[in-house]
Amino acid sequence: MSTSKKITKSRKTPGKIIRKITWQSFIYLLLISGAMIMLLPFFWMVSTSLKESWQVFSWPPKWIPDPIRWDNYITTFSSLPFGKWLINTVIITFSTIIGTLLSCTLVAYGFARFRAPGRNALFILMLATMMLPGAVTMIPVFYLFKSLGWINTFLPLIVPSFFGNAFFIFLLRQFYMTIPTELEDSAKIDGLGTFGILWRIIIPLTLPALTTVAIFQFNGAWNDFMGPLIYLSKPDLYTLALGINFFKSQNNVEWNYLMTASVVTMLPSLIIFFIGQKYFIEGISLTGGLKG
């Protein structure tokens, strides 16, 4: 009896394998097609950055430029204060990353571990701030920074990051709540204080979540256009996002040079993502859908 069952099962196996392979092939084909569609603008941008200006809108389009104009990059860098804008962007971006990690780590750990009256109410109030559109607070915040004399400085773009971000605090709090409290109890017995526990135990265990926050903050600050547009009016203080828009408005839209500047501006985001994608994906998978 058992032998006949094995024979029947073995006869069904090839059909199941064929259906499984067919379904997986369809899924992979669908994913590859979607990826190609999503990457199409990127390919066009890189191709355009290496073309002559008259080839940009030629029809049918040539995806491989002939000739390849590598000197478009040299021309773009020599005609723009690109180095100054790059330094400004780096200063603002990494300052905001430091401020975000410091403030959000402390606040999230407090919400996850400390027991105090009104803690949940404060946490809900903090989450409610995520529902406020940026346009609502834009003018009051601008007048606040203007009264402090911070216009045409980097301070309005850096200082707010040292006061936390509701989304990042929520993300880190969810992660901290999954860490067993027994680890902290053992550390307290060994004589560690709150900051010692946070530095030596919690932070090493939460590197994936912290890396996720850092990548999100990097992309937000690196590509920020509205903030520099509001607070910076001197060309020497421009960031890359604002400088490229300035370049676009000052020229008759030389698309090949504009795409050259865009490619260089986008490269750091790609590099940062590929370097930290392991921690980024791990942080998203561990914090998504966890208990609140």
Side-chain angles (χ1 to χ4, degrees):
M1 186 69 177
S2 59
T3 305
S4 61
K5 288 183 178 180
K6 290 181 180 179
I7 294 174
T8 304
K9 184 177 180 181
S10 63
R11 289 176 180 175
K12 292 181 179 179
T13 300
K16 290 182 179 180
I17 292 176
I18 293 174
R19 285 195 297 270
K20 183 178 180 181
I21 293 175
T22 303
W23 175 251
Q24 289 181 345
S25 301
F26 172 75
I27 294 297
Y28 283 121
L29 180 63
L30 189 63
L31 291 174
I32 292 173
S33 302
M36 293 301 295
I37 292 173
M38 293 299 174
L39 289 173
L40 194 62
F42 173 75
F43 291 149
W44 185 85
M45 179 175 64
V46 175
S47 175
T48 302
S49 70
L50 299 172
K51 290 179 179 179
E52 296 275 5
S53 58
W54 59 270
Q55 293 179 326
V56 174
F57 296 108
S58 61
W59 187 262
K62 296 182 64 176
W63 291 98
I64 300 178
D66 185 23
I68 297 178
R69 295 296 304 271
W70 294 105
D71 58 325
N72 285 351
Y73 288 84
I74 299 175
T75 303
T76 302
F77 296 151
S78 60
S79 62
L80 296 173
F82 208 87
K84 183 64 176 176
W85 294 346
L86 177 62
I87 292 173
N88 295 341
T89 308
V90 169
I91 292 173
I92 294 172
T93 300
F94 285 94
S95 297
T96 57
I97 290 175
I98 294 172
T100 299
L101 291 178
L102 285 175
S103 59
C104 294
T105 298
L106 292 174
V107 177
Y109 183 69
F111 276 125
R113 287 292 188 261
F114 296 159
R115 300 292 181 265
R119 183 194 65 165
N120 293 332
L122 287 174
F123 184 69
I124 293 173
L125 180 63
M126 182 202 70
L127 293 180
T129 62
M130 297 172 60
M131 303 178 188
L132 288 174
V136 174
T137 59
M138 185 184 300
I139 295 177
V141 172
F142 173 81
Y143 276 108
L144 172 63
F145 290 141
K146 183 179 180 181
S147 64
L148 294 174
W150 288 3
I151 304 301
N152 277 320
T153 68
F154 295 155
L155 292 176
L157 304 173
I158 295 175
V159 172
S161 65
F162 285 85
F163 290 89
N165 179 287
F167 173 71
F168 295 150
I169 292 172
F170 171 75
L171 190 71
L172 292 175
R173 172 190 177 265
Q174 298 299 98
F175 201 103
Y176 293 152
M177 292 184 70
T178 64
I179 299 175
T181 57
E182 288 79 5
L183 294 175
E184 297 164 68
D185 295 336
S186 301
K188 290 178 182 178
I189 294 174
D190 292 336
L192 283 180
T194 301
F195 287 101
I197 293 172
L198 182 63
W199 178 253
R200 296 190 179 186
I201 297 177
I202 302 299
I203 289 180
L205 291 174
T206 56
L207 280 179
L210 294 174
T211 304
T212 301
V213 170
I215 292 175
F216 274 132
Q217 181 60 37
F218 177 88
N219 286 328
W222 187 269
N223 300 309
D224 184 24
F225 173 74
M226 185 60 67
L229 178 65
I230 294 173
Y231 300 113
L232 305 177
S233 59
K234 297 180 179 179
D236 290 341
L237 299 175
Y238 283 178
T239 60
L240 287 173
L242 190 58
I244 289 175
N245 186 75
F246 173 78
F247 170 71
K248 178 181 176 182
S249 63
Q250 292 298 311
N251 295 274
N252 189 23
V253 192
E254 294 287 345
W255 288 100
N256 51 341
Y257 297 138
L258 183 62
M259 292 301 104
T260 299
S262 300
V263 169
V264 176
T265 302
M266 185 192 62
L267 281 179
S269 297
L270 290 178
I271 294 172
I272 290 294
F273 176 76
F274 283 115
I275 291 175
Q277 67 174 331
K278 175 184 175 182
Y279 289 111
F280 176 77
I281 296 172
E282 185 178 351
I284 290 295
S285 62
L286 290 176
T287 55
L290 296 178
K291 62 179 181 179

